[in-house]
């Protein structure tokens, strides 16, 4: 059997991605990302207006760049699209990017082209003043989260929804570090991360109630990598995230649980333990340290 091709896997399931995941964006899980982005853009607009007023227009703050790292089918990207001077939806799966393009085309954005760019073309958009457009421009970019040198130090606002995970702890930390390196000093990151402790808790519930794990669940290795049908994804504990953030130069502002109703977990084949604490992902808000 050959090596698992994760890119081909996501290309294949892109059109039916919603059937393969339990999404906090569609289940009424109290996902705060929309409100947090509203607050970020409001605060940024106020700071920019204050700077221009204090310098009587002689100094203008730089145009903002927002990136959805691992945008998938665009569920979080549509919250960003058109709001910064330049918004990029970045993913390595062309299938996922095409689905994101279809989602954004339904938004009737003023400055959106569904053509998928490569990183060289996206770099030219940045260098040629694409980020200075008065009308928020949104682009889709095919790129690898392990190879982000072209975006280093250029991002003011970052979102990552269950994308900072790979087949080993080492590769997952490298991916995380690449995203952090893209942030300007003071830039902010909002990330949803699969929970290792929630998965361990779920396994404990199954053993306590049923005596065994159901066939529809995968397994965890010693690094907290969840393995199912060849797909390997690093799940994170809060202790790992609290240790990793300062090591990478991030100030951790908050780390909270996003709960999933048991009815949704039952439908996904993970189990139904109504009356127990629901399953959760981790929602992280962090800021790139200055300097």
């Amino acid at each position: 059997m050959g090596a698992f091709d994760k890119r081909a896997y996501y290309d294949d399931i892109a059109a039916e991605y919603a059937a393969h995941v339990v999404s906090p964006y569609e289940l009424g899980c109290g996902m705060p990302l929309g409100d947090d982005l509203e607050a970020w853009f409001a605060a940024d607009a106020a700071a920019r207006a204050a700077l221009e007023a204090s310098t009587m227009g002689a100094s203008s703050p730089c145009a903002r760049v927002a990136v959805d790292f691992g945008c998938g089918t665009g569920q979080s990207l549509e919250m960003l699209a058109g709001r910064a001077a330049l918004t990029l939806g970045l993913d390595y799966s062309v299938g996922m990017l095409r689905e994101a393009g279809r989602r954004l085309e339904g938004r009737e954005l003023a400055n959106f082209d569904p053509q998928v760019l490569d990183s060289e073309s996206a770099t030219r958009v940045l260098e040629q003043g694409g980020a200075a457009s008065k009308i928020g421009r949104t682009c889709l970019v095919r790129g690898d989260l392990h190879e982000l040198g072209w975006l280093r130090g250029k991002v003011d606002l970052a979102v990552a929804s269950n994308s900072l995970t790979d087949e080993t702890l080492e590769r997952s930390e490298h991916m995380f570090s690449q995203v952090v390196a893209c942030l300007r000093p003071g830039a902010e990151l909002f990330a949803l991360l699969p929970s290792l402790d929630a998965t361990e808790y779920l396994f404990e519930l199954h053993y306590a109630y049923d005596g065994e794990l159901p066939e529809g669940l995968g397994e965890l290795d010693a690094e907290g990598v969840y393995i199912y049908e060849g797909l390997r994804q690093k799940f994170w504990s809060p202790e790992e995230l609290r240790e990793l953030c300062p090591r990478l130069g991030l100030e951790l502002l908050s780390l909270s649980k996003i709960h999933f109703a048991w009815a949704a977990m039952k439908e996904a084949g993970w189990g139904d333990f109504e009356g127990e604490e629901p399953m959760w992902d981790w929602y992280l808000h962090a800021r790139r340290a200055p300097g």
Side-chain angles (χ1 to χ4, degrees):
M1 182 181 295
F4 185 84
D5 189 336
K6 189 163 67 170
R7 182 175 300 177
Y9 169 80
Y10 282 112
D11 282 343
D12 289 343
I13 69 169
E16 300 177 350
Y17 182 67
H20 293 261
V21 297
V22 180
S23 171
Y25 297 102
E26 298 176 351
L27 295 173
C29 296
M31 181 66 177
L33 179 61
D35 290 341
D36 286 343
L37 293 179
E38 289 287 344
W40 189 92
F41 281 110
D44 183 63
R48 292 161 67 84
L51 175 61
E52 291 183 338
S54 67
T55 61
M56 300 185 68
S59 178
S60 180
C62 66
R64 297 306 191 194
V65 176
V67 180
D68 187 344
F69 289 94
C71 66
T73 61
Q75 289 177 308
S76 49
L77 178 60
E78 66 178 338
M79 299 182 190
L80 284 175
R83 305 191 65 182
L86 177 64
T87 300
L88 302 179
L90 178 65
D91 205 284
Y92 72 168
S93 165
V94 171
M96 289 289 189
L97 289 167
R98 287 172 179 159
E99 291 301 315
R102 292 186 182 100
R103 183 186 296 270
L104 294 186
E105 283 185 306
R107 287 277 311 278
E108 298 182 354
L109 297 167
N111 199 354
F112 169 65
D113 183 345
Q115 177 184 0
V116 176
L117 307 178
D118 58 22
S119 58
E120 291 184 6
S121 299
T123 299
R124 287 195 292 271
V125 171
L126 287 164
E127 293 175 347
Q128 294 171 2
S133 171
K134 293 182 179 180
I135 301 175
R137 182 174 183 181
T138 302
C139 299
L140 301 174
V141 184
R142 182 179 182 181
D144 191 330
L145 298 193
H146 286 289
E147 301 174 3
L148 294 174
W150 61 279
L151 259 180
R152 190 178 185 90
K154 294 182 171 67
V155 178
D156 301 286
L157 174 61
V159 170
S161 294
N162 280 330
S163 56
L164 299 180
T165 172
D166 207 344
E167 58 191 20
T168 66
L169 172 61
E170 181 180 14
R171 284 182 60 79
S172 298
E173 288 192 352
H174 179 262
M175 182 182 286
F176 214 125
S177 71
Q178 286 285 295
V179 169
V180 173
C182 293
L183 304 180
R184 302 183 202 269
E188 296 187 24
L189 167 67
F190 296 93
L192 187 69
L193 300 136
S195 171
L196 172 59
D197 45 310
T199 307
E200 292 173 332
Y201 162 73
L202 177 69
F203 286 6
E204 292 171 0
L205 288 176
H206 276 293
Y207 283 122
Y209 281 85
D210 307 324
E212 61 182 1
L213 297 180
E215 292 183 1
L217 286 182
E219 59 182 348
L220 289 167
D221 73 6
E223 291 188 332
V225 174
Y226 182 74
I227 308 164
Y228 181 67
E229 294 186 346
L231 181 65
R232 300 174 58 91
Q233 297 174 292
K234 167 60 187 165
F235 286 12
W236 297 94
S237 72
E239 294 79 14
E240 288 174 318
L241 295 170
R242 292 189 181 105
E243 185 278 330
L244 181 63
C245 282
R247 176 154 52 91
L248 297 182
L250 282 176
E251 176 189 1
L252 181 60
L253 301 176
S254 65
L255 185 64
S256 57
K257 292 179 178 180
I258 304 297
H259 284 104
F260 297 87
W262 281 117
M265 303 310 298
K266 178 181 179 180
E267 185 175 346
W270 284 56
D272 182 4
F273 299 97
E274 196 66 40
E276 302 285 358
E277 180 183 4
M279 287 281 290
W280 63 90
D281 277 348
W282 287 109
Y283 179 67
L284 175 149
H285 177 201
R287 180 187 295 123
R288 180 72 188 270

